[in-house]
Amino acid sequence: MLRRDFIKAGLAAATTASMVDGVIPALGRESSAAESDARRRELMDFNWKFKPADQKLAIWRKRHTSASDIPPEAAADLDDTSWRTVQLPHDYIVEGKYTPHAVQNHGFLPVYPAWYRRSFDLTAADKGKSLWLDFEGVYRDAHVYLNGTFLGRHRGGYTPFRFDISKAAVFDGPNILAVYVDPTRFEGWFYEGGGIYRHVWLNKADPLHVAPWGVYVVSKVHDVRQNPSADLTIETKIVNDSAREQAGTVVSSIYDPSMNLVTRLSKDGSVPAGQSTKLIQAAHLPQALLWSLKQTHLYTLITQVFRGGRQIDQHQQRFGIRTLRYTADHGFFLNDEHVELKGTCNHQDFVGVGIGAPDSLWYWRVRKLKEIGCNAVRCSHDLMAPAYYDACDELGVLVMDENRRLSDVYRPKTFPGDPYKNLWHIDEMILRDRNHPSIIMWSLCNEEYRVEDTRYGEKVFAAAMKSVRKYDRTRPITCAMTAHVPHQLEKGWNDAKNLKKLRGFEAVENLQGCNYAPQSYGIFHRTYPKKPMFGSEIRNTFSDRGVYVTDIAAGHVSSYSDRMEHAWPAIKDHAFMAGGFIWTGFDYRGEPVPCSWPSIGSHFGALDMCGFPKDVAMYYKAWWGDRPVVHIFPHWNWPGREGKSLSIWCFSNCERIELFVNGVSQGSQSMPPMKHLQWNVQYQPGHIEAKGYTGGILIACHRIETTGKPAALLLNPDRQILSADGQDTVPVAVSVVDDQGRIVPTADNKVRFHVTGAGINAGVGNGDPACHEPNQADYRSAFNGLCMVLVRSKQVGGIIKVVATADGLRSAETELVARTSST
């Protein structure tokens, strides 16, 4: 659901960082569930009008007009009734048709600029208030207009931003908001989509109010292991937008995870006209509940501003209390307990909806990663939606938060400015995210291999670190490095003599992030024994779910691959490595290597784009989890191959595995740690089974049967209850099964969807990286027996009926319930 009631979580561990005024970035999820009359935060996601821009005219305007010239599409009196109505979050690029003429690394989808327009009303009571719009994310180069007045431009595609609208607003009629979006100048080399793909908020506050991102909670924990207590420092930035100095009282109330009042603090202060001030308060919690991976305790800080005894503002901020430290010899410690980072890198691309993902899908995604044993995520290579960090806070997953790029080092046309000073994107990341307890490090860039080992790069990185430290001193700073050569070579730190001469980022950063090159971990550690290290990006493998014969021409890669067996053991074999992040957790559009067209998506994930696990996911579940696992593959439907040899692979964490074919033992083998076992057997229809033993006791098994022909469909929604907020989205998995209810592993039937009642079909997918069917349609072909439909609630309560049909198969249906806040 849209987590409007979930206030941004937080933590910290020691700083009294100063805060600066200037261009105000966006609010994220700070503001309150219990608002005062003077503070309102209204969601602006519905009833937008959308139209693709005239590309030739857009190019002409870019060359011949200034950004402040008002195009006709931004005029207040424009008739936009013929424009299409859309809802945010919205990625319009994902709605397109795949074509081999589009850019490969961006998923072979055409990219073009577009316009958005929306009307909203303000009342006479809003006059004199502080009014601003928050944009959580627009990809990219947004030009924003209100009532024909140019409010400003935001070039970044991943950072939030905000504009004051008090001067351009109309209080006696409708206000017309227009946004021009131009995603044609890419920031990355992967699918980036296009549009207003995160939430937009209208904010109304008394001129004397808590600043956006203005509350910061810093904790210092004592006696972590036995009886933890905590000293808190609360920084509150108060803004005065009025024309005269104002005095007020700030009351800070801290509630424990069960919402019991713990302590209340009060402090008076005054703020000069048109300026801001920072108030510092201190509190002691004699019995602190620590945030951890297993117990995600989150406190709530309610900040109230009073003037003349009357409350004029209220703000909520969640935070967590925990400690973290890294050592050069033993890795990462959370609350003084060693934790190995079992991480995945992930882009923000989703099945069906592209980058325009509702909040609930972020929670679903984090849960899917946890199911395979993942306890850490890297935001690759940019800030994620605020709901992602909320999900990690609540579900207990650690975060490597990553800035899109270090500075404007190579792209002065895309991001003009002084690379030493133009660091707004870093400021926005730290201010927005610094209260999240799940975030354990700041990553300032990824693979800046042109400068990462240069003196110039060292100076830019040091300037960026200084920018971070203005706002947070509680977490170490790192980046994802390429071992000082183009990363494709996977060499670099192999020669200790050359290593000693290296300079650049590692000379100033706190943690050494290593992209690939596992053969160099030991060399680097011996040369720099005091530098903590981790695998910022480590090899997973190329594979596609249910595929066992590589066909590059068809865009598919076999699941028979042991590439990960050369990467993860290198992390385990070096106790000084804090852990690592595999590339990737989920598949994503773009970067289809080792294939090209017709492949339009990556093959790197442990899970496909629908979140269906590939065989390799069970490798990580075995070695990341704490439960016995036995997993064998391939499937056992091979008509025409009777009597021919097939290779059976097994991933397991048991000590010994015995394989059976139709009940006949094929022998047992000892399981080498973090490797796989393999048998070559003659195929005969029936079943295969692997039994796993530890200490001579059978503790796990996996059985695969030859199925019959496709006979029916089955629906499996992730959950049955949705919030009737028009945003909550549930993935519904679809299986093609035989007459005994077994998934047919080769089925490719076209499935049609009918969603009626209090919900709609928000998008479809099947996990096939070479499928060219539309992402938003009422049908999808199964890929190796599975596909998916995303069901989104409407803004009314009631029953949502989902029906799936396919020619020649028994249909399936399920009912979901959309509930309003009052039911």
Side-chain angles (χ1 to χ4, degrees), residues 389-500:
Y389 306 90
D390 290 339
C392 291
D393 286 345
E394 294 174 34
L395 299 176
V397 173
L398 304 168
V399 179
M400 175 182 176
D401 204 7
E402 188 159 283
N403 175 52
R404 173 63 205 94
R405 56 184 303 103
L406 175 60
S407 186
D408 313 321
V409 179
Y410 325 124
R411 302 184 181 182
K413 292 183 179 180
T414 305
F415 296 108
D418 184 341
Y420 297 100
K421 298 179 180 179
N422 194 14
L423 299 169
W424 49 267
H425 40 89
I426 293 177
D427 293 348
E428 290 169 353
M429 176 177 74
I430 308 304
L431 284 168
R432 191 195 73 169
D433 295 342
R434 61 186 176 169
N435 280 311
H436 286 285
S438 56
I439 296 174
I440 60 170
M441 65 180 86
W442 302 117
S443 174
L444 299 189
C445 60
N446 171 74
E447 296 184 353
E448 303 274 8
Y449 57 84
R450 300 182 192 176
V451 297
E452 65 183 19
D453 63 342
T454 68
R455 295 297 183 197
Y456 169 71
E458 182 177 325
K459 292 179 180 179
V460 175
F461 200 93
M465 290 183 69
K466 186 176 180 181
S467 185
V468 172
R469 292 301 181 224
K470 288 188 299 183
Y471 307 112
D472 180 62
R473 294 182 179 273
T474 71
R475 300 169 178 87
I477 299 172
T478 187
C479 70
M481 292 185 65
T482 57
H484 302 289
V485 296
H487 62 283
Q488 295 89 342
L489 300 180
E490 295 195 5
K491 298 178 181 178
W493 298 318
N494 300 3
D495 187 335
K497 293 181 179 179
N498 290 335
L499 189 61
K500 292 179 180 179

Side-chain angles (χ1 to χ4, degrees), residues 207-219:
L208 186 68
H209 60 272
V210 177
W213 297 329
V215 175
Y216 179 34
V217 184
V218 179
S219 62

